[in-house]
Amino acid sequence: MKRALITGVTGQDGSYLAELLLEKGYKVYGLRRRTSTPNYENIAHIRNEIEWVSGDLTDLASLILAVRASQPEEIYNLAAQSFVETSWPQPLLTGQITALGVTNMLEAVRLVSPDARFYQASSSEMFGKVVETPQKETTPFYPRSPYGVSKVYGHWITVNYRESFDMFACSGILFNHESPRRGIEFVTRKVTDGVARIKLGLQSELRMGNLDAKRDWGFAGDYVKAMWLMLQQEQPDDYVIATNETHTVRELLEIAFSHVDLNYEDHVVIDPKFFRPAEVDLLLGDCTKAKNKLGWEQKVSFREMIHMMVETDLARVEQEMKN
Ligand code: GDP
């Protein structure tokens, strides 16, 4: 039985990846950070199948113990302070977790299980104020937030450990990926939750920021397969994972509202509070390398995913109203 350790297992990606690895017959270890209120919503259905180990990305000793306890062949580092907006009011915390946390994890692996394969969750936010379009593995980075800057560090330290210590370390540069399990503060989920609440009469308006921002949005369930594929290759390498399509936030609103026969223009109010100090205007990925080398491709389209998210939020909000 292969063993995998996942950090960030209670998050969106961690939950889909844990499902995938359990299906494949892995023993899955999940790094659990102590919280005063439980956050198992995304993994409630598989909670008992995961072997839990305690730790925190900012505490190297805890990571050494976690790697020692799990003896993993594969490690997926998905934990982070992952919300761009929060990275301005909390830049140091973001750096400690999202940047230096990667070094802590790599050190734990190097010291305890140097032959284990390591996946780092890098991000299209590293491209930020893009210097070419579409963005691919060779596109220079120009991050636009403390989050993006931290992810650039995480990316390069992963490459550096591969080159310095001959570790099997890969960095997946994933463009935005969403699902019904996406955190409610991200724009897709904020919109599909808002649509459900407006449709069911719980609210009438949705306050939004920049509707002109463009993102390459894929489905998280498809993207975790790429993470696994990267660790099954003969050589460690870095890959862009994307849909090769870009859409504005406005298109997202149109698709989500029209799915329940509403017009977004009747409900959306622009609120300067949701504009960012520096914006990433356009992301569009080119995942040719992943297609050719990993044989990876997306299955769920942007429209299908937004419909899925609206349907799930409608059912959830309806259930909440009954309770
Ligand atoms: P990000 O790409 O990791 O920052 O993912 P988000 O889902 O948080 O944001 C995607 C884009 O949507 C950004 O360009 C935001 O400026 C834009 N956006 C517009 N209105 C909102 C909003 O109300 N909330 C969020 N989270 N993003 C918004």
Side-chain angles (χ1 to χ4, degrees), residues 262-287:
L262 293 173
N263 182 349
Y264 82 90
E265 289 174 72
D266 297 336
H267 302 280
V268 169
V269 177
I270 301 302
D271 186 337
K273 184 170 92 182
F274 294 108
F275 283 78
R276 292 167 179 192
E279 179 63 290
V280 172
D281 295 322
L282 159 78
L283 291 175
L284 172 60
D286 174 355
C287 66

Side-chain angles (χ1 to χ4, degrees), residues 82-85 88 123-125 145 147 176 178 182-191 206-215 217 248-249 252-253 270-271 273-276 278-283:
S82 63
F83 190 42
V84 170
E85 218 174 284
W88 279 285
S123 164
S124 55
E125 285 292 318
S145 61
Y147 169 83
N176 297 52
E178 319 294 313
R182 187 58 141 152
I184 203 89
E185 67 275 32
F186 290 86
V187 74
T188 51
R189 199 51 217 302
K190 176 173 170 177
V191 167
L206 183 61
R207 305 186 83 80
M208 301 285 304
N210 175 16
L211 305 191
D212 296 317
K214 290 180 162 176
R215 289 290 182 278
W217 278 294
T248 57
V249 173
L252 158 67
L253 287 167
I270 301 302
D271 186 337
K273 184 170 92 182
F274 294 108
F275 283 78
R276 292 167 179 192
E279 179 63 290
V280 172
D281 295 322
L282 159 78
L283 291 175

Side-chain angles (χ1 to χ4, degrees), residues 91-155:
L92 295 173
L93 181 77
T94 302
Q96 277 153 8
I97 300 170
T98 307
L100 286 177
V102 187
T103 313
N104 282 335
M105 204 60 229
L106 283 162
E107 276 293 277
V109 177
R110 184 178 75 85
L111 295 169
V112 181
S113 291
D115 295 328
R117 297 183 167 206
F118 181 85
Y119 173 85
Q120 167 60 14
S122 286
S123 164
S124 55
E125 285 292 318
M126 302 190 303
F127 297 123
K129 191 172 179 197
V130 298
V131 301
E132 69 175 346
T133 296
Q135 296 87 47
K136 49 185 188 284
E137 291 80 3
T138 51
T139 303
F141 301 136
Y142 190 150
R144 290 274 275 174
S145 61
Y147 169 83
V149 173
S150 300
K151 281 288 181 186
V152 171
Y153 175 94
H155 174 82

